[in-house]
């Protein structure tokens, strides 16, 4: 069942006396199934962050339809109460965790959103404890956020979103400012939330290996949908992605080059060990054929 769907969604940034209006999205349509993990790719200016802000109702679309949890959020009769209710279903984790941390103690920061919802103290306590446990930050509950690493800060930001019981979480380049260890920590949390907690994940990323972990990839190009499919289908056509100014996972590029040398190998392989096995098998097969010919 689709928890989120958009139809013919368009948005244009208004211009001024110097700058003309800038179209950001043009007639974008897709649906997201509940409990799924979708990665959104696109070059800078393709419309990824604009899409995230529209879906979380930070922006209002120029035209088109957004249906969230069965509610048409673009209907003429939608009320402020409808929008507030919908915002309780969807949360966003931004690129810079410092932009989302507001308190001087980790557990107080995680509790901030719940307090704004007017929840009873006992319920807030339980939600904070559960959220910190979900992201592996229980031991840091009384720590000062500014003393944490980038990956730990991002996990605190995610915990704040979890505590408000969001059914959908949008991660807008949430690993972009982190080192490899921090990215790995955050991706472990995202995968666990999706696979164990059933939270619907929409992840905007520039890291192709992260996108390969998703169930589905949506690629935006100049405000429109370039392609939409499984990681195997999307990365199985690397030339289309390169033409759009995007990369592919390193394993895919390596296998593509091997195929160009005449080796019979699949392209859409994302695990390094599996890639090595595929190459070794292809080399052995070609070597055996060469011996047979001689």
């Amino acid at each position: 069942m689709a928890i989120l769907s958009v139809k013919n969604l368009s948005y244009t940034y208004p211009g001024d006396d110097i700058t003309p209006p800038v179209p950001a999205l043009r007639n974008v349509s897709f649906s997201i199934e509940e409990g799924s993990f979708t990665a959104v790719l696109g070059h800078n200016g393709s419309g990824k962050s604009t899409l995230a802000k529209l879906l979380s109702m930070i922006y209002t679309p120029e035209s088109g339809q957004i249906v969230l949890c069965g509610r048409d959020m673009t209907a003429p009769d939608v009320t402020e109460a409808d929008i507030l209710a919908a915002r309780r279903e969807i949360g966003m984790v931004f690129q810079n965790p410092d932009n989302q941390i507001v308190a001087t103690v980790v557990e107080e920061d995680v509790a901030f959103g719940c307090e704004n919802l007017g929840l009873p103290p006992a319920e807030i306590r339980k939600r904070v404890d559960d959220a910190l446990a979900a992201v592996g930050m229980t031991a840091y509950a009384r720590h000062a956020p500014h003393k944490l690493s980038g990956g730990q800060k991002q996990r605190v930001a995610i915990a704040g979103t979890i505590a408000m019981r969001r059914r959908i979480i949008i991660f807008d380049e949430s690993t972009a400012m982190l080192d490899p260890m921090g990215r790995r920590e955050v991706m472990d949390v995202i995968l666990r939330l999706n696979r164990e907690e059933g939270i619907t994940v929409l992840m905007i990323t520039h890291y192709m290996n992260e996108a390969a972990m998703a169930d589905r990839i949506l690629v935006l190009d100049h405000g429109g949908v370039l392609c939409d499919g499984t990681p195997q289908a999307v990365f199985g056509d690397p030339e289309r992605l390169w033409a759009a100014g995007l990369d592919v996972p390193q394993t895919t590029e390596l296998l593509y080059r091997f195929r160009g040398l005449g080796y019979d190998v699949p392209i859409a392989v994302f695990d390094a060990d599996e890639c090595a096995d595929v190459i070794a098998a292809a080399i052995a097969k070609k070597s055996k054929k060469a011996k047979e010919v001689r």
Side-chain angles (χ1 to χ4, degrees):
M1 178 181 176
I3 191 172
L4 173 67
S5 63
V6 302
K7 184 177 181 181
N8 298 327
L9 195 65
S10 296
Y11 185 83
T12 298
Y13 288 98
D16 52 33
D17 293 339
I18 300 174
T19 307
V22 179
L25 290 177
R26 300 181 180 91
N27 298 317
V28 170
S29 299
F30 62 87
S31 294
I32 300 292
E33 295 298 308
E34 184 159 18
S36 63
F37 178 7
T38 302
V40 180
L41 301 178
H43 56 76
N44 290 334
S46 63
K48 304 186 304 298
S49 291
T50 301
L51 176 63
K53 291 179 174 66
L54 287 166
L55 297 181
S56 56
M57 283 157 287
I58 295 173
Y59 290 170
T60 301
E62 174 186 337
S63 62
Q65 183 185 54
I66 300 175
V67 178
L68 174 63
C69 301
R71 300 185 188 96
D72 184 352
M73 304 313 302
T74 50
D77 59 349
V78 70
T79 66
E80 186 66 27
D82 292 330
I83 293 174
L84 289 174
R87 282 177 176 163
R88 294 186 179 187
E89 306 284 4
I90 189 165
M92 179 143 50
V93 178
F94 296 95
Q95 183 179 112
N96 187 347
D98 289 327
N99 292 342
Q100 286 185 264
I101 293 176
V102 297
T104 57
V105 178
V106 165
E107 64 179 6
E108 292 176 2
D109 188 82
V110 177
F112 181 77
C114 295
E115 291 169 347
N116 285 338
L117 294 176
L119 299 175
E123 176 65 15
I124 293 175
R125 179 73 267 169
K126 182 179 186 306
R127 289 196 185 193
V128 169
D129 290 343
D130 289 347
L132 287 172
V135 300
M137 290 295 289
T138 300
Y140 297 87
R142 298 298 303 167
H143 282 56
H146 71 273
K147 293 184 178 180
L148 302 178
S149 69
Q152 289 170 330
K153 287 180 182 179
Q154 198 62 286
R155 283 190 278 163
V156 171
I158 295 171
T161 301
I162 295 170
M164 289 186 280
R165 303 281 171 88
R166 309 296 200 190
R167 292 171 65 185
I168 308 171
I169 301 179
I170 300 173
F171 295 89
D172 188 6
E173 303 280 6
S174 301
T175 63
M177 299 182 66
L178 306 179
D179 59 23
M181 181 177 292
R183 289 201 300 272
R184 190 160 53 248
E185 290 174 354
V186 171
M187 283 306 303
D188 286 345
V189 170
I190 291 173
L191 290 169
R192 189 165 61 250
L193 291 176
N194 174 248
R195 295 171 182 174
E196 297 178 14
E197 305 294 330
I199 293 174
T200 305
V201 170
L202 201 66
M203 183 182 70
I204 297 169
T205 181
H206 278 298
Y207 294 104
M208 300 300 130
N209 288 336
E210 291 180 358
M213 298 178 191
D215 305 319
R216 170 187 177 192
I217 297 176
L218 182 72
V219 182
L220 298 182
D221 184 38
H222 294 97
V225 177
L226 176 67
C227 52
D228 179 4
T230 64
Q232 289 74 19
V234 171
F235 289 133
D237 187 3
E239 292 180 359
R240 177 166 55 172
L241 297 180
W242 289 329
L246 297 172
D247 291 325
V248 295
Q250 290 179 328
T251 51
T252 295
E253 182 172 357
L254 179 60
L255 289 167
Y256 176 86
R257 294 183 183 281
F258 260 81
R259 182 180 284 187
L261 293 173
Y263 290 93
D264 182 18
V265 293
I267 292 177
V269 174
F270 313 124
D271 179 78
D273 291 336
E274 184 181 353
C275 177
D277 291 341
V278 165
I279 290 173
I283 291 174
K285 182 178 179 180
K286 193 169 185 178
S287 176
K288 181 180 179 182
K289 284 186 177 180
K291 290 178 180 178
E292 291 173 352
V293 170
R294 288 200 294 268

